[in-house]
Amino acid sequence: GVRVISASEPISDNPEGALVEGIFEALDEFYSKSLAQDVRRGMYENATKGLSVGGTVPLGYVVVDKQYRIDPLTAPIVQFVFESYADGVSCANIAAELNRRGYSNQKGKPFQKDSFKGMLRNPRYVGKYVYKGGEVVLENAIPALVSQELFDRVQRRFERNKKSPAASRGSVDYLLTTRL
């Protein structure tokens, strides 16, 4: 029961007006889908060049002219997180230490123990650019913040911890914890 009146596209109430309105709607839909396709193509082209395609910039980096650059203010945070986790420090203790030092995440909030799971698995920190789940993969397209050896140590620790996901939830140490 709502009537839409357009100042730029005057459409009459007669049957011809309904036809004109339908044509306008089809043209608008075509334009919208064509524009979306052009944007996706542009993002893919930028990705093949290792350029930023938008989204949240990983901690430790800044984007300058669509290129990833190391952020001298936050890069040490990333390196500390990787080194600490590889050395066996828990995510909760890493977060507590960073908060104690006065650091905050990209949103300006204190770090939490879950703040690092995505970071520690992100291949961009070793210079690998991955777009759309592996559709585009470029080696050394981004300045590396951590060495491949350190990144691999962190991934091995993730694999070891994955084998006993409930080990940290129990309040009692049972005889077969982490073995069964």
Side-chain angles (χ1 to χ4, degrees):
V2 175
R3 184 169 175 221
V4 177
I5 301 172
S6 172
S8 63
E9 300 168 340
I11 300 173
S12 64
D13 288 337
N14 58 29
E16 294 85 16
L19 176 63
V20 170
E21 183 179 358
I23 291 171
F24 281 149
E25 288 173 2
L27 287 172
D28 289 344
E29 184 176 356
F30 170 78
Y31 174 76
S32 177
K33 287 183 177 181
S34 177
L35 181 61
Q37 185 179 23
D38 290 345
V39 168
R40 280 192 300 274
R41 186 180 318 114
M43 290 174 71
Y44 181 83
E45 288 299 318
N46 281 345
T48 60
K49 297 172 188 168
L51 301 175
S52 172
V53 292
T56 303
V57 178
L59 187 68
Y61 292 104
V62 292
V63 174
V64 178
D65 296 328
K66 292 189 176 184
Q67 294 185 336
Y68 288 95
R69 303 269 194 255
I70 293 176
D71 180 4
L73 298 175
T74 59
I77 297 171
V78 174
Q79 292 162 338
F80 173 79
V81 170
F82 270 89
E83 290 166 3
S84 298
Y85 189 80
D87 290 340
V89 180
S90 72
C91 287
N93 288 342
I94 294 170
E97 179 59 23
L98 289 173
N99 293 334
R100 187 189 67 73
R101 293 181 184 185
Y103 293 121
S104 58
N105 65 19
Q106 291 109 311
K107 296 178 182 178
K109 297 188 177 188
F111 285 100
Q112 304 293 320
K113 69 177 183 174
D114 294 330
S115 300
F116 311 113
K117 301 231 188 293
M119 175 194 292
L120 293 169
R121 292 187 180 272
N122 191 339
R124 291 188 187 199
Y125 289 114
V126 290
K128 185 185 279 188
Y129 185 98
V130 179
Y131 177 70
K132 279 213 169 189
E135 191 174 312
V136 175
V137 178
L138 302 172
E139 299 287 338
N140 302 315
I142 300 172
L145 281 177
V146 297
S147 68
Q148 185 67 51
E149 187 273 330
L150 178 59
F151 188 81
D152 291 342
R153 282 179 42 211
V154 167
Q155 302 319 302
R156 284 193 298 272
R157 181 165 178 217
F158 267 122
E159 285 303 311
R160 280 193 311 270
N161 290 347
K162 190 165 68 170
K163 292 177 183 169
S164 59
S168 63
R169 292 191 203 129
S171 58
V172 177
D173 277 342
Y174 293 99
L175 183 63
L176 298 176
T177 297
T178 73
R179 290 171 182 77
L180 184 67

